[in-house]
């Protein structure tokens, strides 16, 4: 007869086996989580960092020409329902003329080709507005003097009040602002046939840059 409270060899083996099975199960679960989490993490990281922005980061412009980059995206990278539209706005500490030339030289060195569609830009704007193509992408590059003073547009003065001159921050008026818009060529309506347009309505030649023939 077995004494009360005494553990038999079989029971002892079972008690030892149970924690071992728990540890093995936890180890297997951890491995499965890693195998599942790594692809998801890699996919989410790739999705959050668009290769177009990575290419813009490596563009050979001086540091002063890209001091405050802010990126925005819309649409889908794989053109499911709507192709992706990328936009970067940044600031240059140098004047528009020097900034436009720095981007022009960097884009040429990076394999971009000057492109002159009818709607580049759609309406006449100040500064240097140029369009570019490379592989399956198109780019709009706009370099202009920064807006100074942050004066609201369309605000009517109070009747009888003297119109005080806007307060300008000298720091806001230095350098130049840069806008870069990149889209898939198949989603850019300007890549298709366009109606004849008056050349005087398609913008101005960039600062100090001779017109470049469109790629054949």
């Amino acid at each position: 007869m077995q004494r009360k409270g005494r553990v038999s060899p079989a029971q002892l083996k079972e008690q030892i086996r149970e924690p071992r099975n728990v540890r093995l199960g936890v180890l297997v679960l951890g491995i499965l989580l890693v195998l599942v989490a790594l692809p998801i993490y890699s996919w989410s990281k790739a999705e959050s960092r668009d290769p177009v922005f990575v290419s813009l980061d490596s563009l050979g412009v001086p540091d002063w020409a890209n001091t405050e980059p802010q990126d925005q995206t819309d649409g889908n990278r794989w053109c499911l329902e709507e192709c992706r539209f990328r936009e970067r706005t940044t600031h240059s500490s140098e004047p528009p003329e020097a900034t436009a030339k720095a981007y022009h030289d960097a884009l040429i060195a990076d394999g971009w080709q000057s492109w002159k569609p009818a709607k580049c830009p759609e309406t006449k704007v100040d500064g240097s507005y140029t369009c570019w193509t490379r592989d399956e992408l198109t780019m709009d590059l706009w370099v202009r003097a920064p807006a100074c003073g942050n004066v609201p547009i369309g605000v009517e003065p109070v009747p009888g009040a003297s119109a005080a001159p806007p307060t300008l921050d000298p720091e806001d008026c230095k350098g130049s602002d840069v806008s870069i818009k990149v889209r898939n060529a198949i989603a850019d309506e300007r890549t298709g046939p366009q109606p004849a347009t008056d050349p005087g309505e398609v913008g101005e030649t960039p600062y100090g840059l001779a017109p470049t023939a469109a790629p054949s």
Side-chain angles (χ1 to χ4, degrees), residues 16 23-24 39 45 72 93 109 116 119 129-130 137 146 166 183 211:
I16 295 175
R23 290 196 298 270
L24 181 60
K45 185 177 181 180
Q72 293 183 341
S93 59
K116 296 187 179 296
K119 295 182 179 181
Y129 199 108
T130 54
L137 301 174
R183 70 193 87 180

Side-chain angles (χ1 to χ4, degrees), residues 47-54 56-57 68-77 82-90 178-184:
E47 176 65 16
S48 62
R49 192 57 181 158
D50 192 290
V52 170
F53 291 129
V54 175
L56 292 178
D57 289 339
E68 301 173 8
Q70 296 182 2
D71 298 334
Q72 293 183 341
T73 61
D74 190 20
N76 188 278
R77 278 173 53 186
E82 183 181 0
C83 288
R84 173 156 291 186
F85 177 83
R86 301 103 168 159
E87 182 173 11
R88 167 170 291 185
T89 57
T90 187
V178 180
S179 294
I180 301 174
K181 299 179 180 180
V182 181
R183 70 193 87 180
N184 292 68

